[in-house]
Structures are given as C-alpha cells and as structure tokens.
Amino acid sequence: MFLGRIRRTPADQVEVVAWREGGELVSLSGLGGPADPVALLDRFGLERLTGEVDRLWATASSLLDESAVLFEPPVATCTKICCLALNYVEHAEESGLEVPPSPVLFFKPPSSLTGHNRPVVAPARTRHLEHEVELAVVIGSVTRDLPAERWREAVAGYTVINDMTARDLQLANIDRNVPWDQAKGFDTFAPAGPYLATVDEVPDPQALELRLEVDGQVRQRANTKQMVFGIPQLIADLSDGMTLEPGDLIATGTIAGIAPLQEGDVMRATVAGVGTLVNRVTFRTA
C-alpha cells in the first residue's frame, strides 16, 4: 500500500490518499482522524487499513489523478530527520574521506521537508547545489533502546528522500572545522515522497536499486545492499539513548555520483519498489 498526503488546490486541507499503479488516487478522508499516514497505520493496523483501502477502491465513484494534486511530504509530524553520512563506500571514496568505523549522524530540521513536484529553492548565499538520493525509513512507533534484531517493530514504511546539499557552504565549514548542518538544512532541502510505502510493499529494504536522473541523465545508481551499516544497525544505534518518534525519518545515506545542479534542472530520485520523487531546482539571486 502506498499512502500520500495531498492538497487538491493550495487552499484545500491536507488529506491522505492511497495510490495504485496507473497514477490514480483515492481519498481516505472518510476514515476519519488526522491527515497522517503514520497515524492511520497506528490506528487501524496494516491488515485492517489495507482492507479499508480495498473497500474504498471498490466503491469510489470518482478517483483523483496524481498529476492534478499538490503533494505534501508523506509524514504529517516529524520531530527530526536523522541523516547518515558516508554510508556507502564509493560515496566516501568520491568525497576523499574514509569509511567511518561506526554510523555518522547529522540532522536536518523538519522545516527542510517539501513534497513531490515541489521546487527545491537554493538560497542566494549558495551557488553550488548537489543532489543525494537516499532510502528513508519512516518510524511508526515511539522507539528507544531497540535491539537490532527487533528493528522491524519501529518501521511504518519507507519513502524516497533527496538530501540536498549546498556543497560550497559545507566544504567551507569543513575547512574551518566547524559544523556544516546549515548547508543541509535550508527550507526545501529535504524533498521526500511521493508516498509512504508500507512494509508489505518492501519485504527486503536492503535489496533496492537507487537511481537519480537529472534531465534524463543518470547520475547516481547503486543498491541498498551496498550500505556500510544496514537498517537494523542504524535503528539500534540511533535509538540507543535517543527517542525516535512516529513520523521521524532516517535518511540512510547516499551513493556515488553527486554532482552540481543548474537552474531549472529536474531531478528524478527513484528507489525501486518505493517510488520516484521529482523536483525542479531554482536558485534565488537576492
């Protein structure tokens, strides 16, 4: 099941929709509750919610076209975006850095989230923007001190995230030996979506092809099986002393192929079996 958050026009309230192949959406607003896929999964459970969605598909008198709606990020509430650095060997090598002996964590603020088909807007202070396609784990329950073998208990599903980076600002801060979080945390620098793919859609998240295209040219391509630290270890490490909340995202690291973007470039970030996230780049000049 693929669950998203959309508006029909900019002024409309956000609603949860289910997607099926072909680009058709059905609204789940009749199920009641908040416009939050994670909350719906918690309220109904996956099996019951799947049955409710199937019933709505069968009775819907009108369906929505995904090309005619405005997408919001697929999580309604997110307290933190936990991002992993250098979690693929080839990306570490292209960055001229060593593979870390343990997971390296940084954060993006929730205010950096934006949706599918929304613009990524680089502030005037940067002229060097780069893409980083990643698989994101969506946390489904309050999680702390969870052993690696129980990692699935924490997961509501998966989505695509593009870890946008102002590379000139990041490298300048690295040279000064100061934190570089700001280079990652500007508004729109965490496009995510289009949908939350529930766990039944992704039986093995460590066997998914990642790909990013810019205007049809493939720049990044690899597989999640190449992660240095897999999802069980990441969840165990992150939840060791830190509470993960429902709707929090774990961006599991990018792959080799990062490169600069230009004004008007269209990025297509794909995680096989999860979705394709599309965003256009624009640079502010003042």
Side-chain angles (χ1 to χ4, degrees), residues 5 25 42 46 48 79 81 98 131 173 224 246 258 264:
R5 297 173 64 244
L25 308 173
D42 182 63
L46 178 58
R48 182 182 167 202
T79 69
I81 307 168
E98 295 183 0
H131 51 75
N173 285 335
T224 56
I258 57 173

Side-chain angles (χ1 to χ4, degrees), residues 38-100:
V38 175
L40 280 177
L41 284 165
D42 182 63
R43 175 185 171 191
F44 287 94
L46 178 58
E47 184 176 353
R48 182 182 167 202
L49 183 58
T50 300
E52 293 289 340
V53 170
D54 288 343
R55 177 181 62 81
L56 288 171
W57 280 123
T59 59
S61 58
S62 62
L63 299 175
L64 301 173
D65 183 341
E66 66 176 349
S67 66
V69 302
L70 302 173
F71 281 86
E72 299 290 337
V75 290
T77 302
C78 177
T79 69
K80 51 192 169 292
I81 307 168
C82 304
C83 304
L84 279 299
L86 307 176
N87 200 26
Y88 288 82
V89 172
E90 290 185 355
H91 174 56
E93 291 175 345
E94 73 175 349
S95 302
L97 299 169
E98 295 183 0
V99 175

Side-chain angles (χ1 to χ4, degrees), residues 3 37 110 128 163 167 184 222 231 240:
L3 303 172
H128 186 163
D163 174 18
R167 195 70 70 194
K184 298 275 194 174
I231 292 170
D240 181 5

